[in-house]
Amino acid sequence: MTTSVSTLENLATQLRIDSVRSTSEAGSGHPTSCLSAAEIVSALFFAEMHFDPKNPQNPDNDRFVLSKGHAAPILYAAWAAAGLFPREELLKLRRIDSDLEGHPTPRLSFVDVATGSLGQGICAAVGTALNARRIGSEYRTYVVLGDGEMAEGSVWEAGNIAVYYKLDNLCAVIDVNALGQSQHTQFGHNMDEIAARWKAFEWHTLVVDGHDIPALLRALDEARATKGRPTMILARTLKGKGLSAIEGKDGWHGKALKKGEETDKAIAELEKQMVPDGSKPDIPGPRSKSRPEPAADYSKIPAPAYKKGDVVATREAWGVALAAVGAVDPRIVALDADVKNSTFSDKFEKIAAGRFYEDFIAEQVMVGAAMGLAARGAIPFPSTFACFLTRAADFIRMGAISFANVKFTGSHAGVSIGEDGPSQMALEDLSMMRSVHGCAVLYPCDAVSTERLVVEMARHKGMAYMRTSRPKTPVIYGPDETFPIGGSKVVRQSAHDKAAVIGAGVTLFEALKAYDQLKAEGIEIRVIDAYSLQPVDEKTMNEAARATGGVLITVEDHSPAGGIGDAVSEAVAAAGFGVRRLAVREIPRSGQPDELLDRYGISARHIVDAVKHAVAARPTLA
């Protein structure tokens, strides 16, 4: 049995009615953006997609991503029509006591990734399509975009990568209603112009009347039969379709109909469009059942093989550790942006090529695809130079809203990278990542702590970021040391410490040099490795403040805003302690790493001066 065309048409009308009614009740929303997509959503949910409507998280369900997230009411209406929850719940749209938010989030069981920042849903859909291959499932991924969304560069990054991976299990539909928020879209209803672009990207491209159910079904049949490349269905629609007063008219984006007479009149007009048909939709179940993933056995990960005094870059140790955790946990995947031979993610590629995804120089789709993979149970490790992760800052922000279990790594951070100059020197990444809700932020100094923290990242539930360094640094920890997220290491201390110097990564070694110089002059200091900046080790920081009479000095290869200094300051502020901060306070230039550390105020020499000044300025007790 299949759902009849007349039933699908009635369902489209019902989706329109529910979208109008819910946005009118809320007093806000985007009903016209829902009305244009009604036949598209009806055909997908009730004729094309295979899923269990009572179990949206079934791993073999076809996946649906609403990239045009402002059309959330029609997504909610579709799941109500599928029987997941009562239609009456739709009237709670946008209320604080309802998960039916203004744009979809994974608080809802049927939403994989948060959308609403346009251009991201199609990137996540690439990840969910890749995941089907990873787990050996026949599920397909469908994504609906708006035509204005095509202005986003990330859409074309996704277009490139989907073709590169020949994702014939991915079908996108663009709702070409020709109207954006403030004006007509770039191409309006010039379907030939839009089609030419997608054909140039080598997608199987079809143009249909988006309000013609049989035409949509034929296009979806053709998409399913197409092998070796993804399909793009360009559906010509009218914004506000079904309501004569607003159909195809500008100036209605994001405007709900007034509750009362205006809404009642609109619903009456839509109800007249229903045709006699007493049948119900037939939703087929999943096409296949994937194999359960083998359990991960982290006890099989070998201890770090380094000896104290070995000189190893943390970026290289990260690559070794990623391959080690990937060998024992089949959920781990790695994504790269054409820097794998510098970040050392190629070590993972060598042992798990089928779980390594090259996204070339396209950081937005790399992060977006990681979100899609994470939504389906993978543990993605996307990595690139730290400065280029900032290009995907909005994706990372949305990843937090998606509760995405993604593990980011940014290498080549700070002035310590040397001659490449300021365009390559991430000096903002710690601030960016510490501002992401729930994201653990880690900055190891040596190979042992790096390897241990990669394992912690993999096992941590939630987003995490690790900053790795380009220069080789000496191993200072033994293989039995542990590094829990939220901890720190006191690497030098005495009963007579006059100050505490807190560093991480490369600056820890400048602090250790300063320790030696000051000790030779009879000044004892405490040195702390703040390898976890979020959460920060409040207990250790406050103990150091009390032990030194409040003389805390942070030193970081980062701008003053949002990094180590701010993390430590937040940890001790409630107890009334302040922090003196050494950081990079101007735009740097090319040079040798040691020259740059000294020029920009974060070398051992500057630490020694800061300690002496702070100790001299501290009041003495009579």
Side-chain angles (χ1 to χ4, degrees), residues 30 440 487 589:
H30 299 74
R589 56 187 297 138

Side-chain angles (χ1 to χ4, degrees), residues 406-481:
V406 179
K407 321 300 179 179
F408 301 97
T409 300
S411 71
H412 293 68
V415 300
S416 58
I417 71 166
E419 296 88 341
D420 281 342
S423 71
Q424 312 297 295
M425 295 171 176
L427 294 168
E428 313 81 11
D429 58 312
L430 296 176
S431 177
M432 180 180 85
M433 299 307 294
R434 285 189 63 245
S435 71
V436 175
H437 179 76
C439 182
V441 178
L442 309 169
Y443 188 10
C445 71
D446 80 341
V448 170
S449 55
T450 300
E451 288 207 19
R452 291 298 193 191
L453 284 168
V454 169
V455 176
E456 294 290 331
M457 287 175 76
R459 304 184 78 165
H460 174 72
K461 184 63 176 175
M463 289 176 66
Y465 171 66
M466 179 180 285
R467 188 190 222 215
T468 61
S469 302
R470 183 182 193 180
K472 296 185 180 211
T473 52
V475 173
I476 63 171
Y477 295 116
D480 297 329
E481 293 274 2

Side-chain angles (χ1 to χ4, degrees), residues 535-577:
V536 69
D537 186 351
E538 294 185 6
K539 181 175 181 288
T540 297
M541 302 307 160
N542 279 283
E543 286 174 351
R546 289 190 294 270
T548 60
V551 182
L552 299 178
I553 299 168
T554 58
V555 54
E556 57 190 307
D557 194 359
H558 189 269
S559 72
I564 300 173
D566 276 3
V568 175
S569 182
E570 290 166 16
V572 301
F577 296 112

Side-chain angles (χ1 to χ4, degrees), residues 50-58 60-62 79 82 84 283-286:
H50 288 236
F51 64 101
D52 180 352
K54 297 296 184 183
N55 180 16
Q57 286 300 311
N58 184 313
D60 296 292
N61 281 350
D62 284 348
W79 279 98
L84 184 63
I283 301 174

Side-chain angles (χ1 to χ4, degrees), residues 307-549:
K307 301 185 300 294
K308 286 185 179 182
D310 287 350
V311 181
V312 183
T314 56
R315 60 185 172 123
E316 184 169 3
W318 175 84
V320 171
L322 182 63
V325 294
V328 303
D329 192 339
R331 298 170 299 172
I332 290 177
V333 300
L335 299 93
D336 174 58
D338 195 27
V339 290
K340 62 188 178 184
N341 59 336
S342 290
T343 62
F344 290 96
S345 64
D346 56 357
K347 293 181 181 296
F348 180 93
E349 183 182 24
K350 290 181 174 71
I351 66 102
R355 289 183 276 138
F356 183 90
Y357 306 114
E358 180 56 68
D359 293 289
F360 302 96
I361 306 173
E363 293 84 6
Q364 294 178 107
V365 72
M366 178 183 74
V367 174
M371 289 163 56
L373 282 154
R376 304 311 320 137
I379 302 175
F381 276 75
S383 59
T384 184
F385 290 7
C387 59
F388 303 137
L389 267 181
T390 59
R391 184 185 292 268
D394 185 35
F395 280 76
I396 295 169
R397 176 185 71 88
M398 291 295 288
I401 298 171
S402 296
F403 312 107
N405 191 31
V406 179
K407 321 300 179 179
F408 301 97
T409 300
S411 71
H412 293 68
V415 300
S416 58
I417 71 166
E419 296 88 341
D420 281 342
S423 71
Q424 312 297 295
M425 295 171 176
L427 294 168
E428 313 81 11
D429 58 312
L430 296 176
S431 177
M432 180 180 85
M433 299 307 294
R434 285 189 63 245
S435 71
V436 175
H437 179 76
C439 182
V441 178
L442 309 169
Y443 188 10
C445 71
D446 80 341
V448 170
S449 55
T450 300
E451 288 207 19
R452 291 298 193 191
L453 284 168
V454 169
V455 176
E456 294 290 331
M457 287 175 76
R459 304 184 78 165
H460 174 72
K461 184 63 176 175
M463 289 176 66
Y465 171 66
M466 179 180 285
R467 188 190 222 215
T468 61
S469 302
R470 183 182 193 180
K472 296 185 180 211
T473 52
V475 173
I476 63 171
Y477 295 116
D480 297 329
E481 293 274 2
T482 60
F483 295 84
I485 292 174
S488 66
K489 293 285 187 184
V490 179
V491 294
R492 298 286 188 276
Q493 72 178 111
S494 76
H496 308 289
D497 292 332
K498 303 298 185 186
V501 177
I502 302 150
V506 295
T507 62
L508 181 72
F509 297 98
E510 296 302 312
L512 290 172
K513 291 176 192 174
Y515 169 88
D516 291 338
Q517 293 178 37
L518 289 163
K519 186 174 182 180
E521 297 179 34
I523 302 173
E524 298 278 1
I525 66 169
R526 185 167 303 191
V527 178
I528 300 173
D529 177 4
Y531 67 78
S532 179
L533 296 176
Q534 184 164 283
V536 69
D537 186 351
E538 294 185 6
K539 181 175 181 288
T540 297
M541 302 307 160
N542 279 283
E543 286 174 351
R546 289 190 294 270
T548 60

Side-chain angles (χ1 to χ4, degrees), residues 55 57-63 128-140 169 285-294 331 376-378:
N55 180 16
Q57 286 300 311
N58 184 313
D60 296 292
N61 281 350
D62 284 348
R63 310 313 306 172
T128 62
L130 287 169
N131 186 72
R133 292 182 176 176
R134 182 185 74 86
I135 67 172
S137 176
E138 294 179 23
Y139 78 72
R140 293 176 58 77
N169 61 349
R287 292 180 175 86
S288 66
K289 187 173 183 180
S290 59
R291 299 182 303 275
E293 290 183 312
R331 298 170 299 172
R376 304 311 320 137

